[in-house]
Amino acid sequence: MSDMSHPPSLAAAEPAGPDLAVETGSPAPAGRREIVGRSPNQLAWLRLKRDRTARVSALTLVVAAVVAISAPLLGWLTGIDPTDKFVDRLNDFGMPTGYAGGINSDHWLGLEPGSGRDILLQLVYGLRTSLFIAFASALLASLIGVVVGVLAGWARGWLDSVVNWLIDLTLAFPFLIFALAVIPILEDRFYTDREAPSPAFRVALIIATFGLFSWTYTARLVRGQVISLREREYVEAARAAGAGTGHILFRQLLPNIWAPILVTVSLNVPQFIAIEAALAFVNIGVTEPTPDLGRMIYNSIGYVASDPWYTLFPGLTIFLLVLAFNLLGDSLRDSLDPRSTR
């Protein structure tokens, strides 16, 4: 009878799969594979790489980012500036001559009705504007939310109560309606009726508005994570070693809650892309002459029946951007969830 008092070795009971086998400095005996544990970050990265939806979404966003960054290069190659107007290629009704809105070898997506600007250059530069505003707003909102959430979750007491009250008050305002009211008011504060606000001022105002009124979800998430981690053993060990509050907050706690923060950022970006397009659609977004996807859709309303291509290109671009970001955010959330089976 075999001796059952000693359990079988881990190598015999659980053969290493392809994800657990790694190379070591010394060769392993024949027929045996070295077993090592992987960190949660490594496991999350492996799950994310296996997700086909995440790969396709990431590829779409990388292509969009490269195209946006390369917008000046495209203008140099074509010899066309996004503000150039080819009115000589419009008919007496202001409509582009030729097939499908003036598509030809010089203007690959045709021309804008009325203005005669090249749609491809407007689209590429508009993509650049939308991505810049969305990423800058998401980073600003996350920065404010992380700082407020960490301080509230660590301090507790009256500071925590004040932060919770401020979060509830901010969430009570409909964000889009509030943005519709705040942006014109602030413009009137800095510019007179005879002065048109500069495009850079409007972009900065939109980013500030998005960031200052979208930090609440991140703050509430970070606060809850800090409260759950502040009594862990490694925090107590840091206290016993004489570490200061700043070291514990930003060197011990913050690195352990980066995953939900990253997911929040990835889901905030498509939200800001859609809201920025909505603001431009009601004509309080990015002003001329800065190209913008939302304003392209706004300008195309009067030409939907006669030139649907003008509406299709910016609308499809926004749709693909928002969809890719949302799918990537969902995949990222699943890959960072230790209970996920994906």
Side-chain angles (χ1 to χ4, degrees), residues 129-281:
T129 302
S130 295
L131 288 178
F132 172 74
I133 291 176
F135 273 107
S137 302
L139 292 177
L140 178 59
S142 298
L143 178 61
I144 297 174
V146 167
V147 173
V148 173
V150 167
L151 294 178
W154 179 261
R156 305 301 299 272
W158 67 269
L159 180 59
D160 190 26
S161 300
V162 170
V163 169
N164 279 323
W165 178 83
L166 184 59
I167 289 175
D168 293 336
L169 180 65
T170 305
L171 291 175
F173 288 99
F175 173 68
L176 184 57
I177 297 177
F178 192 82
L180 292 175
V182 167
I183 292 177
I185 291 175
L186 292 179
E187 281 187 353
D188 292 339
R189 176 66 179 80
F190 291 96
Y191 290 89
T192 64
D193 294 337
R194 298 181 179 180
E195 295 178 302
S198 66
F201 175 81
R202 180 67 72 88
V203 169
L205 185 56
I206 292 173
I207 293 174
T209 303
F210 286 179
L212 293 176
F213 292 94
S214 300
W215 56 269
T216 52
Y217 294 103
T218 303
R220 179 165 287 178
L221 174 66
V222 171
R223 171 187 171 273
Q225 293 288 324
V226 170
I227 292 175
S228 66
L229 296 176
R230 66 197 304 267
E231 303 301 334
R232 294 291 181 90
E233 291 80 2
Y234 64 89
V235 177
E236 294 294 339
R239 284 199 192 102
T245 302
H247 175 86
I248 295 175
L249 291 180
F250 298 103
R251 298 295 297 275
Q252 300 293 331
L253 292 179
L254 196 57
N256 287 283
I257 59 175
W258 69 270
I261 296 173
L262 182 60
V263 173
T264 303
V265 172
S266 67
L267 295 176
N268 275 341
V269 171
Q271 175 187 2
F272 290 141
I273 291 175
I275 295 177
E276 187 274 327
L279 292 180
F281 188 78

Side-chain angles (χ1 to χ4, degrees), residues 109-112 117-123 296 310 313:
L109 298 183
L111 299 174
E112 285 186 339
R117 294 180 298 195
D118 185 89
I119 292 180
L120 177 60
L121 270 297
Q122 283 285 311
L123 190 70
M296 289 181 69
Y310 183 28
F313 293 129

